[in-house]
Structure formats: C-alpha cells, structure tokens
Amino acid sequence: MKKQRRSFLKNLGLAGATAAIMPSAFASETKQIKFLERTAGDIFGSKPLGLALIGAGGMGVADAKTALKHDNIKMLAVCDLYDGRLEESKTRWGEDIFLTKDYEDILKEEDIDAVIIATPDHWHEQISIDALKAGKHVYCEKPMVHSVAEGQELINAWKKSGKVFMVGSQGLSSLGNEKAKELLAQGAIGDINYAEGFWARNSPFGAWQYPIPPDASPETVDWQKFIANTEKRPFDPKRFFRWRNYLDYGTGMAGDLFVHLFSSLHFITNSVGPNKVAATGGLRYWNDGREVPDVLLGMFDYPDSAQHPAFNLSLRCNFVDGTSGSTYLKIVGSKGSMDVTWDDVMLKQNDVAASDDPFMEEKGKEQSPKRSDRKKILPPSETFYQVEKGYKGAHYDHFANFFHAIRTNGPVVEDPVFGFRAAAPALLCNESYRQNKFMGWDPVEMKVI
C-alpha cells in the first residue's frame, strides 16, 4: 500500500444498506450469486411535506411520480413554460393544483417545503439559488449547473441557506453502488488503477429527438422566459422541446450521461475527481441541426490521494450503437475488477487461493517436473451480487434520502459540493472537445487550472 489502507466506508446516505449474505472469503473458483437488500429502518418519518415541480417534462414528471410514492408527500404546485404540460398536471395531480409559468410564484407559497427543479440545464443555477433564498429545500436534476463558472456561487448559496439540497444522480442511492463501495473498501479488488464507463443508445428518443406537440407555438410556449438568460432567438420548437441538443440550454452527452458515471465512480471510490480532462468525438449520424456530438470519448487522470491511488478513467457515449445499447461502470484493481450497475455488481478476482487438499498437492507434483517454476493460468473467481425481487430502485431510495434529510436536518448522499465535483469534469469534456486540448482541473479547490 502506498498510503494507509483506503478505508473509506462512510455514511452511504441511507442507513442500513447491506448484503443479505456476506462472503466469508473473496477467493472462490465457482460463481456465487448473492442478493442485495435494503434494510431501511425508520427513514420515512411522519411529517407531511408540500412539494412543487418546476419543469414538468419527462424527467420532472418521473421525479414527481417517484417522490409521491413516499408517505406524507403532497404535490401542491407545478411550473412549466408549455400550456400542454400544465394541463396534464391537472390530470395527474388534481384540478386544485396550483399552476404557473413563473417559478417565482411557487417560491412565494408558504406551504411548499421543497421543490424539484427539472428544467433545462441553463436554468438550474438561478432557480436553485432563488429557491434556497426563499427558504425551500431543493432537489435539482443533474448536472447541477450549466457551466463550471456557476458552481461556487450555488455552493455558497446552499451553505448560507441552511436548507437541504440534493442533486439528482439517483444511482448514488442504489444498492449496486453501495455494495461496490463496500467491496472496494474491504480490498476485494486490491488498489484501483483503472476504470471505464460506457453509456450507449440506439433510438431517436434516446438521442434526444423528443416529440414536438402539434400545438407548439409562441401562444402555448413562454419562449421569452425560456431564453431570458441566454441568446435571443426567434421561437424554435426544436430548441424548446429538444433542448439537450443545443449548447445554450443543454450540456451534451457529457452533462447528461457522463455525469452519472462520474457520480457513481466518485461515490464508490470516495474520490474528489480528476486533475486532467480530455475528450474527442463527433457527429456521426444524428445530423438534425444539433450542436453536440453523438459519439463522445473522454480520458481522465485521477491523482494519488488519501482516498485512493492514482488511476486512469475512460468514458464512452454512443448514440449510434448497433448493439442496441448498454450501460456499465467497470472498476479495475490489482487483484480483480467489478462491473457495477445500479442493481447488481459482478466481482471478479484472479488472486485465487491455492488448494489445501493433500491429494491435489501430490497430483500437482507429478506434473511438468522439468518446469516446476512455470506459472499457471488461474481462473477468475466470480461473485454476482444482485438486488432482491421487489426492490423499489435507486430513484425511490434517492428521494427517501432527500425527505429523511429534510425531516431530520441530516445529510444527503449528493449535496452541491459532491454534485459540482461530478458535474465539473463532465462540463470540461465539452470544453476539451470544442477547444481540442487537455483541460486542467483542481478537484480539491474546485477550479479550472
């Protein structure tokens, strides 16, 4: 070990996340299957909480539906800039729900305890800061900010507010990530030296060609509010409904998907981030006027630290994947590797213990007497951890953590400091791609070098 054993089993955000069966030893020559379970304990509390949704698109609605699966949560208000989504909100949550196109109206409502911010990325910082100043707890979709320059201001606003702020990379609350964190801390794969992540899709919807409502027009969309903090342009329904494709509003593949992989990796390794960022890629298929690539590759250097040895990371994102799409995070160490998803972990180890069977020892002596020093090929030991049937999922658990923190004034698994350290290297990928150069980043001080 270069440093004190990186024992960093810290608060996992939700108490009591355990494996149903703990292995007595890592080394084994047969594949084992073990189930992960959530032992939640008293995390839900009983205090009713009033909730508002700001941004009622696909992700916002998914967030709201998941949040409302919890006890004593009531949806009181919805803000969106498109009339159709406001009308749909009545169908979903009742005729008496408060509807508005101005988020500031929601922040004035005293019975609203917390807001979900699921707007396009270019509004995340301003609405978050305004909500904190108004005394609201905040659940903000990833990436937390639209640019690296916005990070510190939002962090400072959160620290001053005394409110709970959760960033919405829900995988951090998954049983898969929690088990991987535990295994790494126990030395299951030795010291980390390399990691890679892949996020692939192969469909128009997956590539952000979202449907455009037939009634989309300046009469049904508050376009001027949408572009109020960016370049002024005439109404364009593609830019409004497919905003991820445009730099004024979205953060490309890196901000949408790399940030998930950064979040999981940083959680598992307890890392604060890389110090060197590089990206390349291109527009290979979706030539629909978008300003961002549909294939992106990233390379990252993680320096030696108290939390982990130095290692390298590679990330890939492909929206033209003929294999129909896959997502994974692989973490490689000196003794093995882990393939990690939110619902399972495949642990592979090459350091298999020698047999203590006397018969096998004698038979071994009979083989290749002239080459007794020759090394053998050892099969990897595999242990597969998977969630139990009926697991409610990482998204559910992420909101459980958020609501529990509000009710107990406790911590969350993904506060703005953690969220910024995951978002910044993703956003720097965009800068590296555009400028065609390596980007330096100080992950401790959280600033561009």
Side-chain angles (χ1 to χ4, degrees), residues 143-345:
M144 185 182 79
V145 290
H146 186 239
S147 69
V148 173
E150 296 174 344
Q152 291 292 351
E153 185 178 3
L154 180 47
I155 289 172
N156 292 338
W158 163 64
K159 290 180 177 179
K160 291 177 182 178
S161 72
K163 295 298 175 180
V164 174
F165 192 112
M166 172 75 96
V167 182
S169 291
Q170 62 268 31
L172 267 73
S173 294
S174 69
L175 283 171
N177 276 0
E178 291 170 9
K179 186 61 186 177
K181 182 183 183 80
E182 179 184 349
L183 290 170
L184 183 64
Q186 291 174 344
I189 65 169
D191 283 331
I192 181 175
N193 53 62
Y194 173 71
E196 64 177 344
F198 189 33
W199 203 300
R201 293 172 175 173
N202 190 4
S203 71
F205 191 85
W208 309 327
Q209 283 197 337
Y210 302 138
I212 298 175
D215 69 340
S217 71
E219 287 68 45
T220 59
V221 172
D222 191 341
W223 175 253
Q224 296 307 314
K225 181 68 172 179
F226 180 74
I227 63 171
N229 63 355
T230 186
E231 183 177 344
K232 305 302 180 283
R233 301 174 185 271
F235 175 70
D236 185 341
K238 281 189 176 181
R239 284 181 169 268
F240 184 83
F241 290 99
R242 298 176 179 176
W243 56 269
R244 290 192 186 279
N245 292 306
Y246 304 97
L247 296 173
D248 281 352
Y249 329 112
T251 50
M253 303 172 97
D256 185 32
L257 300 174
F258 276 10
V259 71
H260 274 306
L261 299 168
F262 279 119
S263 297
S264 292
L265 179 69
H266 293 180
F267 174 80
I268 294 167
T269 63
N270 210 36
S271 179
V272 296
N275 61 2
K276 185 187 291 186
V277 176
T280 188
L283 190 57
R284 311 304 183 196
Y285 182 81
W286 298 104
N287 295 297
D288 52 6
R290 67 182 60 202
E291 300 169 351
V292 293
D294 55 16
V295 174
L296 187 68
L297 310 175
M299 297 181 295
F300 313 89
D301 285 1
Y302 280 71
D304 189 45
S305 68
Q307 293 80 21
H308 55 70
F311 68 92
N312 294 91
L313 168 69
S314 68
L315 298 180
R316 294 177 288 155
C317 199
N318 185 1
F319 281 176
V320 204
D321 185 355
T323 67
S324 78
S326 58
T327 302
Y328 69 84
L329 176 65
K330 178 186 287 289
I331 301 175
V332 180
S334 55
K335 295 181 180 179
S337 69
M338 293 186 289
D339 296 335
V340 185
T341 77
W342 295 349
D343 290 342
D344 56 61
V345 179

Side-chain angles (χ1 to χ4, degrees), residues 4 18 24 54 62 90 115 117 154 176 226 231 250 259 306 321 323 337 362 381 388 391 395 407 422 430:
Q4 178 182 1
T18 62
S24 58
I54 302 175
K90 291 183 182 179
V115 297
I117 300 173
L154 180 47
F226 180 74
E231 183 177 344
V259 71
D321 185 355
T323 67
S337 69
E362 290 301 319
S381 162
E388 290 185 309
Y391 173 51
H395 205 178
R407 287 169 171 143
N430 294 332

Side-chain angles (χ1 to χ4, degrees), residues 366-386:
E366 297 175 6
Q367 297 179 6
S368 304
K370 295 181 180 180
R371 294 295 308 277
S372 60
D373 62 330
R374 192 180 188 193
K375 299 298 183 182
K376 302 175 182 178
I377 295 177
L378 296 177
S381 162
E382 295 184 354
T383 305
F384 185 61
Y385 299 85
Q386 65 183 24

Side-chain angles (χ1 to χ4, degrees), residues 8 15 28 56 66 78 151 240-241 269 345-346 358 366 380 386 433 440 448:
F8 41 76
S28 171
T66 303
V78 175
F240 184 83
F241 290 99
T269 63
V345 179
M346 172 63 81
E366 297 175 6
Q386 65 183 24
Y433 173 76
V448 175

